[in-house]
Amino acid sequence: MEIKRDVPLKELTTFKIGGSADFFCSVTSTVELVEACQFAKQQKLPIFILGGGSNVLIPDQGFRGMVIQIAILGINFEERIGGVVLLRVGSGENWDRVVDTTVERSLYGLENLSAIPGSVGASVIQNIGAYGAEVKNTLISVEVFDTESMESRSLTKEECNLRYRNSLFKQSEGKKYIVTAITLSLQKEKTLFLEYPDLANYFKERDESTITLRDVRDAVISIRKSKLPDLTVLGTAGSFFKNPILSIEEYANLKEKYPELPSFPDEGGKRKVPAGWLIDQTGGFKGYRVNSVGVYEKQALVLVNYGGGSAAEVLELANKIEISIKEKTGITLEREVCVL
């Protein structure tokens, strides 16, 4: 393991924005992670954990501390009775590579989460979700390194407290943990979830009995490509805001003002409304551009860097959107992207 000084971070993120880290290292094992954390403690440096860099906005001035990039690999399958297969994955693995591997092995459970950029470790921190599926649906346990006790331990799914784009790891009491591996439970028996509107529409002419696991993965990839930017062309961190969750009363009041407001059922009888719809239909921001940053023309939930953009420009645009939506709907948008 090599600890480097003054390492530029923007090319390590999908937003392609940000300054340099005072100290930087990439760790490939728990042993190296311990060494990195010990160095940071000795030097009294704050630590920032970087995975695939797909859900983060780095400040233009960089990070005055130590960035540890997690590159812990490993994909292991273990068959259990009843057609269950446990999958243990190192947190540094590429998430979509793992999904593709499970599809190749005809294992059901992750296919709706295809083509989501980023690392495996981030998948549980964020509780990534798409097309009616979330990581918490298949999660069994998470292996972590405790930066306070400097020891490794395993957390159950329940201890991780996964919910909509949130988890223990995003709360103050969980920020001491660094994810090193996760274990998921997959199924050998055909179990597809095609009820999500985009998927239902995609397969509306097909007999469900003819739809394969590979068909679903290909469909999800196709749908995502039609809506989201090509990361080789535009910088982005994906969905910048979370979808607001409203009480029945809040939803009814907003629906009266905006009769075409779409929504989805959420836990406790609440309604989840698409932030992208609010940003587009009430704010008119879809396709909006200011200098080198803007709102993606095909999905208003996504902020993009057209090249040479700065974190300050992105945050100014995000603030403008938040103020507009608050004024028009009374909703305070919550950011999904991690802003240092």
Side-chain angles (χ1 to χ4, degrees):
M1 180 192 70
E2 180 184 4
I3 297 176
K4 301 178 181 179
R5 295 288 303 267
D6 300 320
V7 175
L9 298 174
K10 71 176 184 178
E11 293 303 322
L12 299 178
T13 75
T14 57
F15 233 142
K16 304 303 180 187
I17 286 175
S20 298
D22 286 352
F23 295 87
F24 176 91
C25 69
S26 179
V27 300
T28 60
S29 67
T30 303
V31 172
E32 290 185 348
L33 179 58
V34 171
E35 292 177 8
C37 290
Q38 287 175 336
F39 175 85
K41 281 195 171 187
Q42 291 166 0
Q43 300 296 320
K44 298 181 180 179
L45 299 170
I47 293 173
F48 177 70
I49 301 301
L50 183 66
S54 61
N55 195 53
V56 62
L57 178 62
I58 304 291
D60 301 313
Q61 64 269 28
F63 184 67
R64 304 285 74 81
M66 184 167 186
V67 171
I68 301 176
Q69 185 177 50
I70 304 298
I72 300 173
L73 305 180
I75 301 177
N76 298 288
F77 296 89
E78 180 184 341
E79 289 204 29
R80 296 290 182 90
I81 60 173
V84 173
V85 176
L86 297 186
L87 168 61
R88 182 185 179 277
V89 193
S91 59
E93 290 282 359
N94 176 275
W95 173 259
D96 193 54
R97 174 175 172 252
V98 172
V99 176
D100 188 55
T101 300
T102 65
V103 171
E104 283 290 331
R105 287 175 171 253
S106 298
L107 297 175
Y108 295 80
L110 303 183
E111 59 279 356
N112 288 38
L113 303 177
S114 292
I116 296 178
S119 67
V120 165
S123 71
V124 292
I125 294 171
Q126 188 74 358
N127 184 28
I128 59 173
Y131 304 102
E134 291 180 306
V135 163
K136 73 175 184 178
N137 299 341
T138 57
L139 185 69
I140 296 295
S141 63
V142 178
E143 295 168 41
V144 298
F145 176 72
D146 186 330
T147 57
E148 292 183 359
S149 68
M150 299 295 280
E151 295 178 344
S152 294
R153 60 171 296 195
S154 179
L155 301 174
T156 65
K157 171 183 175 176
E158 290 70 30
E159 288 176 308
C160 293
N161 193 21
L162 270 62
R163 50 204 187 278
Y164 174 60
R165 301 301 179 270
N166 211 333
S167 68
L168 165 69
F169 309 107
K170 299 181 81 170
Q171 310 307 310
S172 57
E173 64 271 24
K175 290 188 177 179
K176 64 180 180 178
Y177 296 126
I178 298 173
V179 177
T180 56
I182 70 172
T183 298
L184 305 170
S185 177
L186 307 178
Q187 303 293 324
K188 296 175 73 173
E189 182 179 350
K190 185 175 182 179
T191 48
L192 297 177
F193 179 82
L194 305 175
E195 285 76 15
Y196 195 86
D198 283 344
L199 281 176
N201 183 62
Y202 189 94
F203 290 116
K204 64 183 178 181
E205 305 297 332
R206 290 278 299 274
D207 181 338
E208 186 170 335
S209 65
T210 70
I211 299 172
T212 68
L213 194 55
R214 177 61 65 179
D215 289 337
V216 176
R217 173 167 165 78
D218 290 345
V220 170
I221 292 173
S222 176
I223 294 168
R224 289 182 67 89
K225 281 185 176 179
S226 71
K227 292 184 175 184
L228 300 173
D230 182 344
L231 292 177
T232 65
V233 178
L234 294 176
T236 181
S239 298
F240 200 88
F241 302 100
K242 297 181 181 180
N243 291 323
I245 298 173
L246 309 180
S247 68
I248 293 298
E249 182 180 1
E250 290 171 326
Y251 173 70
N253 291 336
L254 197 58
K255 183 78 170 176
E256 186 175 344
K257 185 175 182 180
Y258 299 102
E260 296 185 3
L261 174 68
S263 72
F264 305 95
D266 198 69
E267 297 176 359
K270 295 184 176 183
R271 305 296 297 185
K272 184 185 294 182
V273 299
W277 190 94
L278 297 174
I279 294 167
D280 178 22
Q281 297 298 317
T282 74
F285 283 102
K286 183 185 283 187
Y288 180 80
R289 177 172 178 171
V290 182
N291 300 321
S292 297
V293 303
V295 179
Y296 190 51
E297 59 186 11
K298 295 181 181 180
Q299 172 53 271
L301 197 56
V302 175
L303 304 189
V304 295
N305 170 21
Y306 292 101
S310 68
E313 288 178 308
V314 172
L315 293 176
E316 184 176 353
L317 174 58
N319 288 334
K320 185 171 184 175
I321 291 171
E322 290 163 358
I323 291 170
S324 174
I325 301 308
K326 179 69 174 179
E327 289 176 347
K328 291 178 170 63
T329 69
I331 293 173
T332 300
L333 289 178
E334 186 178 351
R335 296 174 183 176
E336 182 174 327
V337 169
C338 172
V339 181
L340 287 189

